[in-house]
Amino acid sequence: MDLSVEFAGIKSRNPTMLASGILGISYEVMRRVYDAGAGVVVSKSISVEHREGYRGPIIVKVDSGYVNAVGLANPGVDHFVQELSRYGYDRERVDATQQDDKSNSNDNSVPIIVNLVGSSVNEFVSMVKRLDHLSIIGYELNLSCPHVERVGLEVGDDPELVSSIIKGIRAVTKKPIIAKLGLGAVDMIEVARVAIDSGANAVTAINTIRAMVIDVETCMPVLSNRVGGLSGRAIKPIAVRCVYELYNAGVPVIGCGGVYDWRDALEFILAGAQAVQIGSAIGYRWLDVFKEINDGIKEYLARKGLKSVRELIGVAHRY
Ligand SMILES: Cc1cc2nc3c(=O)[nH]c(=O)nc-3n(C[C@H](O)[C@H](O)[C@H](O)COP(=O)(O)O)c2cc1C
């Protein structure tokens, strides 16, 4: 059974990816995620400067997922460059796409996409310039950072800014660029088209959805930031709808939001996703989730008499 897929010009041994923000800061942990079966690992969002993030509580479990407001805590781009250089990413990467489940001994064989967050063209471009000599396989742009000039909006709500950011990055790198979209104030299809026309190779849909939890005993919002982002099972049908519409609009798309098992992953693939990212499920099923999803897809392919998972991409659009 062939689980390999290709998205944004990246070849992956299977369609599962680690979603940004979940475990993707230290190389050792990213290696564990890859060894557990993920096809590609996406780092946590990296910013120009180190960010402390919000004080706790930063995450709360709800019936069908989590609400989090971490505040984009990360060590900053220079620290991340050092971290990856320590593990050989300042050399050419050993291509591990043909490897099966186990890694080889070359540390830099883990395929890492670096997720970047910023609020201006300069911030994004300066990070890419510092990272681009590394043998990382691409960039994912978190466009959910607050807009500096238009308070209340996010970067992704400003198609002109999105276009300038992507054009700016495209001018300094040949690596794949993936724009990660949320349910912002502007139609997702419009922002996705602008992203692709400006030089992005694919989009990831979706990021968390703004949400809130209040403790009825203390009468206080639970998260220190009051409002956070909902992830997990609760958002899956919304995310599947977004992927379906993006595929319909001809946008190459990676699905994300509420993937817990192989059925969820297949739902996204049938809607048109070329790969699927997994975040919150790790909190419930730990890293076993990657192998469980890949094994489940293999069994499904055998049962349906299919040879490759690629045959399933977008099939729901036939009906
Ligand atoms: C604790 C936590 C931290 C996250 N941090 C980031 C982040 O740094 N950058 C980003 O682009 N998305 C971040 N996300 C969003 C996830 O990558 C993903 O888009 C979202 O959680 C939906 O997928 P899921 O339902 O599989 O978790 C975070 C999600 C969670 C739960």
Side-chain angles (χ1 to χ4, degrees):
M1 294 300 150
D2 183 5
L3 288 192
S4 67
V5 293
E6 188 169 341
F7 53 89
I10 294 168
K11 289 192 168 69
S12 173
R13 61 183 178 174
N14 67 56
T16 65
M17 301 168 70
L18 174 71
S20 178
I22 328 283
L23 306 173
I25 281 285
S26 112
Y27 176 79
E28 296 286 355
V29 176
M30 290 192 273
R31 167 153 285 288
R32 280 185 65 189
V33 174
Y34 183 66
D35 290 347
V40 167
V41 173
V42 183
S43 79
K44 184 161 178 50
S45 287
I46 303 293
S47 52
V48 175
E49 302 291 345
H50 151 99
R51 285 172 71 129
E52 271 311 322
Y54 301 128
R55 68 186 158 78
I58 53 169
I59 186 158
V60 52
K61 204 166 181 176
V62 291
D63 288 344
S64 43
Y66 297 97
V67 180
N68 90 82
V70 174
L72 298 167
N74 79 90
V77 66
D78 290 334
H79 180 100
F80 198 61
V81 169
Q82 279 172 21
E83 170 76 2
L84 292 184
S85 302
R86 231 190 338 266
Y87 291 93
Y89 281 81
D90 48 357
R91 300 191 302 269
E92 202 175 324
R93 193 175 75 87
V94 176
D95 189 345
T97 50
Q98 300 309 317
Q99 277 176 238
D100 209 9
D101 280 341
K102 277 289 154 199
S103 61
N104 65 20
S105 57
N106 293 294
D107 271 324
N108 77 2
S109 63
V110 177
I112 296 175
I113 291 177
V114 179
N115 179 301
L116 300 173
V117 67
S119 51
S120 68
V121 180
N122 280 348
E123 282 187 13
F124 277 101
V125 170
S126 85
M127 287 190 280
V128 171
K129 281 184 176 164
R130 284 184 244 182
L131 285 156
D132 215 46
H133 68 287
L134 299 176
S135 45
I136 53 174
I137 60 168
Y139 301 100
E140 182 180 71
L141 314 180
N142 178 356
L143 300 173
S144 301
C145 195
H147 199 299
V148 177
E149 283 146 32
R150 294 158 71 184
V151 177
L153 291 189
E154 296 180 347
V155 169
D157 293 327
D158 183 345
E160 264 179 47
L161 181 55
V162 170
S163 173
S164 311
I165 288 169
I166 294 173
K167 283 182 180 159
I169 297 175
R170 188 35 87 218
V172 295
T173 185
K174 292 192 167 59
K175 295 191 201 290
I177 302 170
I178 300 165
K180 183 166 178 183
L181 307 178
L183 290 189
V186 176
D187 176 40
M188 186 181 278
I189 307 289
E190 185 191 331
V191 184
R193 285 212 175 103
V194 166
I196 299 293
D197 290 348
S198 306
N201 303 84
V203 306
T204 299
I206 58 174
N207 210 319
T208 55
I209 299 174
R210 280 164 68 77
M212 188 172 187
V213 179
I214 295 170
D215 183 325
V216 294
E217 294 305 329
T218 62
C219 306
M220 286 164 63
V222 173
L223 297 174
S224 73
N225 189 51
R226 298 182 186 87
V227 169
L230 177 65
S231 63
R233 280 229 145 102
I235 70 170
K236 192 189 74 176
I238 300 171
V240 170
R241 185 268 298 174
C242 292
V243 167
Y244 187 88
E245 290 180 356
L246 287 162
Y247 181 93
N248 232 2
V251 176
V253 57
I254 297 164
C256 180
V259 176
Y260 278 48
D261 58 27
W262 63 268
R263 279 196 179 80
D264 301 325
L266 277 179
E267 216 177 319
F268 276 96
I269 291 167
L270 293 168
Q274 295 168 335
V276 290
Q277 300 189 352
I278 295 145
S280 299
I282 293 170
Y284 290 80
R285 331 253 314 237
W286 193 226
L287 300 182
D288 301 338
V289 67
F290 293 102
K291 187 169 182 314
E292 282 167 20
I293 290 176
N294 287 322
D295 288 350
I297 296 177
K298 269 189 207 159
E299 278 170 33
Y300 178 89
L301 292 176
R303 184 152 53 80
K304 296 278 183 187
L306 299 170
K307 289 200 172 60
S308 163
V309 67
R310 295 187 299 278
E311 293 172 62
L312 293 168
I313 297 172
V315 164
H317 291 262
R318 291 187 197 151
Y319 304 99

